[in-house]
Amino acid sequence: DGGITQSPKYLFRKEGQNVTLSCEQNLNHDAMYWYRQDPGQGLRLIYYSQIVNDFQKGDIAEGYSVSREKKESFPLTVTSAQKNPTAFYLCASSIIRGVGPDQPQHFGDGTRLSIL
Amino acid sequence: GIQVEQSPPDLILQEGANSTLRCNFSDSVNNLQWFHQNPWGQLINLFYIPSGTKQNGRLSATTVATERYSLLYISSSQTTDSGVYFCAVESGSNFGNEKLTFGTGTRLTIIP
């Protein structure tokens, strides 16, 4: 079945450590997104990418980095510069508007990151 | 950027009751989605509805784009409807700019 796979489901980070969250999609979508959700809050955009080897900062990019070397993959690295990384991270993908019939964004099941 | 407000923030209902959730947004939108987030954190797409009315079983949604609001109706509530309901909009004017802005959600609790 087509979908978005995020791994791991749970991740623990030590102080000063970088960690990478995986996001893979087999929906043949051009655009991919990373969102952060804090308890009791909505989702906020971290980074997004509309094409391989290109990506843009979202609203809360500080302390995060991404890469887009393949269409199917959009990993997110939470760096030691992110002072409050404990959150729920969701990856999404979509077609580019105008390429075909408009469709909703599709989301993975998320990764919960905690600080040890 | 665009502002998205959802109301009410919390709603507690008896099983079998009907409910209406509201989403107001501050600018014209190209895309509006309603999501249900279950207790495990999964975001379930309910509706993709930038305008008009759609129905799916006990759920229906209406977006009045000219008045900048959307409503989600849940009829004959079941305990499995509990969770947080999010409205998210995309208002980019540039080609290919599909960033979603989320509201803060409505937490729905259905009591047996």
Side-chain angles (χ1 to χ4, degrees), chain A residues 73-116:
Chain A
S73 178
F74 191 39
L76 173 74
T77 296
V78 184
T79 74
S80 57
Q82 172 49 243
K83 297 307 178 187
N84 185 22
T86 297
F88 187 48
Y89 292 87
L90 286 147
C91 177
S93 71
S94 71
I95 65 169
I96 298 292
R97 180 156 43 87
V99 172
D102 283 349
Q103 294 180 13
Q105 280 192 21
H106 296 262
F107 282 78
D109 288 344
T111 294
R112 292 193 186 278
L113 175 61
S114 300
I115 297 301
L116 290 178

Side-chain angles (χ1 to χ4, degrees), chain A:
Chain A
D1 288 347
I4 301 174
T5 300
Q6 290 188 240
S7 62
K9 288 190 182 303
Y10 300 93
L11 188 58
F12 298 93
R13 194 191 90 168
K14 294 181 181 179
E15 293 285 348
Q17 187 180 47
N18 293 352
V19 291
T20 298
L21 284 59
S22 171
C23 178
E24 303 277 334
Q25 56 100 359
N26 61 4
L27 299 167
N28 199 33
H29 286 166
D30 288 301
M32 297 186 74
Y33 312 81
W34 274 106
Y35 294 89
R36 169 182 171 138
Q37 186 180 27
D38 292 289
Q41 301 295 318
L43 279 66
R44 293 181 292 166
L45 182 67
I46 306 172
Y47 267 100
Y48 65 104
S49 168
Q50 294 168 336
I51 194 169
V52 173
N53 293 323
D54 188 39
F55 46 83
Q56 287 80 41
K57 294 181 179 180
D59 299 321
I60 55 166
E62 186 175 350
Y64 299 97
S65 66
V66 293
S67 63
R68 187 87 186 275
E69 297 177 2
K70 298 186 301 181
K71 184 176 183 178
E72 302 79 20
S73 178
F74 191 39
L76 173 74
T77 296
V78 184
T79 74
S80 57
Q82 172 49 243
K83 297 307 178 187
N84 185 22
T86 297
F88 187 48
Y89 292 87
L90 286 147
C91 177
S93 71
S94 71
I95 65 169
I96 298 292
R97 180 156 43 87
V99 172
D102 283 349
Q103 294 180 13
Q105 280 192 21
H106 296 262
F107 282 78
D109 288 344
T111 294
R112 292 193 186 278
L113 175 61
S114 300
I115 297 301
L116 290 178

